[in-house]
Amino acid sequence: MGEQLSPDEKFELITRNLQEVLGEDKLKQILQERELKVYWGTATTGKPHVAYFVPMSKIADFLKAGCEVTILFADLHAYLDNMKAPWELLDLRTQYYEQVIKAMLESIGVPLDKLKFVKGTDYQLSREYTLDVYRLSSMVTEHDAKKAGAEVVKQVEHPLLSGLLYPGLQALDEEYLKVDAQFGGVDQRKIFTLAEKYLPSLGYTKRIHMMNPMVPGLTGGKMSSSEEESKIDLLDRKEDVKKKLKKAFCEPGNVENNGVLSFVKHVLFPLNSEFVIKRDPKYGGDQVYKVYEEVEKDFAAEQIHPGDLKASVEVALNGLLDPIRKKFESPELRKLTSTAYPAPSKNKAAPKGAKGAGGGGGGGDDDEVIPSRLDIRVGKIVSVEKHPDADSLYLEKIDVGEAEPRTVVSGLVAYVSQEDLQDRMVVLLCNLKPQKMRGIESQAMLLCASIEGDPRRVEPLDPPEGASPGERVFVDGYDSGQPDDKLNPKKKVFEKIQVDLKISDTCVAQWKDKDLMTKLGQITCKTLKGGNIS
C-alpha cells in the first residue's frame, strides 16, 4: 500500500495518534527520497498485556506507509533493568515474547513477512558494540544516565550500575540496527533525548524519535506487567477479562485517567475505525460510533453508562484475544508459558541471605524449579572401599574443592569395579540433605547414567578433560543463578528436574535438550545413549 501513497500521505499515516515526534523535518525529507526504516523495541520482562496493542496498531500503520520495520526483543535490557528477567530465563522469555507478539500482529491482520525480528544479544555482545558501550560510558554523566532511565528503569533505593547502562545501550541500538527512527512510548522520551545528545559524539547520526501516548491501566495509572490488577493479560480467560473490567476505574462522566475509555481511543478505534456500544433496546439499543471524540463527548455527558462501556469493550477485546488464546492452546506454547514464567513463591518474603538472580543461595523462589538451584560439582574420588555393613555399597572420600573430602555412599558395587573408581573424576550433586545409608552419612550424590534392563547398566558421568575438583557444573543457559544452600526434601526440587535429565544420542548429559557442562566443555558418559541420569 505504501507505494500508492504520496510522501505527505505516508507522513500522516506514520504520525497519526502519536503524542510527539522529534525530528519531523528529517522524517519528511526521508519520505521524499525513500521508505523510512524504523524500529520498536521491547524488554522481555513481564508478560505482554493488552496495552501492547497500542504499539502493534502503530506498527500496522508503519507497514501500510511502506516503512521497513524491525522489532527488537531487548533481552539484555531485561536483565539490566534491576534483573527483572533472571539470566537463566532470558532465552525462554524472548521465545515467549516472539510467539505472543507475532500472535497479536496476526490477530490484527499484520503480515509478518514484512517485519524483521532481532534479539538484542545477537549483536549487543559483539566486540564493536561493547567498545561503543565503553566509549559512551566515558562521555555520559551519572546524572544524565539516571535521568534518562527515570521513567523506564525500575527505581530502587540503591540502584545497580546496570540500570545506568540501560539508556546508553538503547541509544546505541539505533546505530547497530541501521534505522532512521526509533518508536516507543512517551515514557521513553528522556532516553530518546539522551540518544540525540550523545550519538553524534560517537560519530553517529541523530535519529528521529516517535512517541505513542501511555494508556492508563484499569486502576487509572500506567498499565503495568508487574501490577496484576492494572492490566489484562493476553492469555486471560474470558471470565478474568470480565472480572478485571468490572473492577476497573470508570467513574460516570469522568474522562480523565479512565483506562477503559483510553483503551477505546488508543486500541479499538485505530484497529477498527469504529466502536459499537452494546445495550438493551429499552435503553436505546446499540449505537455505532465512527469517531472517538463522539464516544468521549457522550460519556462525559453521561449518555453512555460505565456498565455499557465496559460490556462493549469486553466484547471487542475478546475478539482480539480469541486468536491468541487459541494459538497458545498448543502443548508446546503452554509449556513455554509455564517455564518462561514459573509460578511465584507462596512465601512473599525472601529467606534470610537470599541472593538476587535466578533462584539463589538459600533464596530465590522456593517453587521455581530451575537447574541453577542444584549445586552440581566436579569431584575426584581420593579413596574407595566397601561399606562395612552393606556388600552392595561403596564408601568413597571425594574431593569437591572444599577443605576436606566429602563422604559419599553409592550403590555401584554391581556396576563399577573399585579400581575403576579410584582417582576417577566424577560429577556430584552437593546440596541434597545428608542422608544415612546403613549407618554412615552420605554427604552428596554421585551422578550416573543408567539404562534399565537385564542386566541393568550404570556408568558414572564424566567431566570434560582438564576439569578440577569443585568446578561448577551447570545447564547451558542457566549458569548465572546461585544454587540453594540445601534443597528442601519436601519440595522435591531434584526429583522434578531429574525427570528431564537424559543422555543424548551422542552420550552428552542434558536437561530438556540443553547440555550439562563446565567452563571446559560437556558432561558425558561412555556408552549409555538415551539413558537416564540419577
Side-chain angles (χ1 to χ4, degrees):
M1 178 179 173
E3 295 174 0
Q4 302 166 359
L5 300 177
S6 70
D8 286 344
E9 288 171 328
K10 290 179 182 179
F11 178 83
E12 289 301 319
L13 188 53
I14 288 168
T15 58
R16 76 168 179 174
N17 292 327
L18 293 180
Q19 183 162 324
E20 187 177 4
V21 177
L22 301 176
E24 280 194 3
D25 291 342
K26 186 175 181 180
L27 173 57
K28 290 176 180 177
Q29 181 186 338
I30 289 173
L31 292 175
Q32 292 290 339
E33 301 167 359
R34 57 175 173 81
E35 306 299 0
L36 184 74
K37 297 177 182 178
V38 59
Y39 100 87
W40 172 74
T42 179
T44 52
T45 53
K47 286 183 181 178
H49 45 72
V50 295
Y52 277 62
F53 276 114
V54 179
M56 295 304 105
S57 65
K58 226 24 249 175
I59 286 168
D61 283 347
F62 295 154
L63 291 172
K64 288 174 188 173
C67 298
E68 296 177 25
V69 182
T70 297
I71 292 181
L72 171 68
F73 298 112
D75 51 347
L76 189 56
H77 287 77
Y79 183 71
L80 291 176
D81 187 2
N82 209 48
M83 296 182 295
K84 281 184 180 176
W87 190 264
E88 55 267 36
L89 293 180
L90 280 187
D91 186 54
L92 290 167
R93 291 195 176 174
T94 302
Q95 290 177 46
Y96 178 86
Y97 264 67
E98 182 167 359
Q99 292 292 337
V100 83
I101 283 174
K102 284 181 176 178
M104 290 180 75
L105 291 165
E106 287 170 336
S107 82
I108 62 174
V110 173
L112 299 184
D113 59 339
K114 302 292 184 184
L115 291 163
K116 181 181 178 184
F117 296 91
V118 178
K119 187 167 72 169
T121 48
D122 287 344
Y123 65 90
Q124 289 166 345
L125 302 178
S126 69
R127 180 179 183 275
E128 295 77 13
Y129 190 93
T130 303
L131 287 174
D132 271 345
V133 172
Y134 287 135
R135 289 172 65 203
L136 195 59
S137 66
S138 72
M139 300 173 185
V140 180
T141 64
E142 178 193 4
H143 173 269
D144 282 1
K146 193 171 182 180
K147 179 181 176 184
E151 293 188 49
V152 177
V153 179
K154 185 175 181 180
Q155 300 299 297
V156 293
E157 186 177 355
H158 301 292
L160 299 172
L161 181 59
S162 59
L164 298 177
L165 291 174
Y166 186 114
L169 268 64
Q170 186 169 333
L172 286 175
D173 290 339
E174 297 178 351
E175 173 63 24
Y176 280 79
L177 292 171
K178 302 301 178 189
V179 294
D180 306 307
Q182 183 178 176
F183 162 64
V186 74
D187 60 337
Q188 309 265 333
R189 193 182 195 282
K190 291 174 183 175
I191 292 180
F192 292 165
T193 55
L194 178 129
E196 294 191 2
K197 178 179 178 180
Y198 286 104
L199 279 193
S201 301
L202 294 173
Y204 299 143
T205 306
K206 182 166 78 170
R207 266 58 179 199
I208 300 159
H209 294 101
M210 303 184 291
M211 286 161 272
N212 248 351
M214 300 306 295
V215 175
L218 300 179
T219 53
K222 177 181 174 182
M223 196 175 287
S224 168
S225 296
S226 59
E227 295 179 25
E228 188 62 33
E229 291 304 313
S230 81
K231 52 97 180 184
I232 294 172
D233 190 274
L234 295 167
L235 301 180
D236 274 350
R237 299 170 303 166
K238 289 186 178 183
E239 50 266 44
D240 295 325
V241 172
K242 182 185 286 292
K243 182 180 175 183
K244 289 181 179 180
L245 280 171
K246 190 173 182 180
K247 290 182 178 179
F249 175 78
C250 191
E251 190 177 49
N254 186 353
V255 298
E256 300 297 323
N257 291 322
N258 186 324
V260 182
L261 207 53
S262 294
F263 190 78
V264 175
K265 178 179 180 179
H266 297 299
V267 176
L268 299 181
F269 258 99
L271 293 177
N272 303 311
S273 301
E274 68 174 34
F275 179 62
V276 181
I277 289 288
K278 295 187 172 293
R279 54 190 172 194
D280 195 291
K282 67 182 178 182
Y283 297 119
D286 293 356
Q287 184 165 350
V288 179
Y289 289 89
K290 297 289 185 181
V291 223
Y292 167 74
E293 287 72 21
E294 291 298 318
V295 179
E296 187 174 292
K297 178 184 168 187
D298 283 358
F299 187 83
E302 299 190 29
Q303 292 177 14
I304 298 175
H305 189 275
D308 292 333
L309 177 65
K310 289 179 179 183
S312 304
V313 167
E314 181 187 341
V315 171
L317 180 54
N318 279 320
L320 293 174
L321 297 181
D322 279 342
I324 303 171
R325 294 183 185 119
K326 187 171 183 181
K327 180 175 180 176
F328 273 76
E329 285 174 0
S330 74
E332 296 82 8
L333 291 184
R334 281 207 304 266
K335 184 177 181 182
L336 174 61
T337 305
S338 63
T339 51
Y341 296 94
S345 170
K346 294 174 184 174
N347 301 321
K348 297 200 174 178
K352 187 177 179 181
K355 298 182 182 177
D365 289 339
D366 286 348
D367 295 334
E368 191 175 26
V369 181
I370 51 176
S372 55
R373 293 183 64 180
L374 305 181
D375 182 6
I376 306 178
R377 303 185 213 170
V378 173
K380 181 178 180 181
I381 300 178
V382 294
S383 71
V384 54
E385 58 188 52
K386 289 279 190 73
H387 191 294
D389 297 319
D391 291 340
S392 62
L393 301 178
Y394 282 130
L395 181 61
E396 302 128 352
K397 294 288 185 181
I398 304 181
D399 178 3
V400 292
E402 297 171 336
E404 298 292 334
R406 291 200 185 193
T407 299
V408 177
V409 179
S410 62
L412 293 176
V413 171
Y415 309 105
V416 188
S417 71
Q418 197 167 328
E419 293 75 20
D420 282 346
L421 287 178
Q422 182 65 48
D423 297 322
R424 181 172 181 153
M425 302 299 292
V426 290
V427 177
L428 297 106
L429 177 59
C430 295
N431 61 340
L432 289 173
K433 183 179 178 181
Q435 186 175 356
K436 283 196 173 183
M437 298 180 71
R438 298 297 292 269
I440 296 177
E441 186 176 80
S442 183
Q443 298 168 333
M445 176 191 288
L446 199 158
L447 294 177
C448 297
S450 64
I451 289 183
E452 301 304 319
D454 191 12
R456 183 173 186 252
R457 292 183 292 159
V458 178
E459 296 174 0
L461 295 182
D462 294 318
E465 189 174 349
S468 304
E471 261 183 57
R472 188 177 176 200
V473 175
F474 57 88
V475 173
D476 189 18
Y478 290 79
D479 55 332
S480 65
Q482 293 296 316
D484 290 14
D485 290 334
K486 281 284 182 289
L487 294 173
N488 184 342
K490 293 181 181 178
K491 297 289 184 181
K492 298 191 179 298
V493 175
F494 175 67
E495 289 82 353
K496 291 174 183 176
I497 292 171
Q498 185 186 8
V499 172
D500 295 301
L501 286 171
K502 305 287 180 187
I503 301 296
S504 75
D505 291 339
T506 55
C507 287
V508 176
Q510 295 183 329
W511 178 77
K512 293 187 176 181
D513 298 322
K514 293 180 181 291
D515 294 351
L516 270 69
M517 56 198 304
T518 73
K519 61 185 179 182
L520 294 178
Q522 298 164 321
I523 304 298
T524 59
C525 72
K526 289 188 169 49
T527 65
L528 301 184
K529 298 177 182 179
N532 296 314
I533 297 174
S534 58

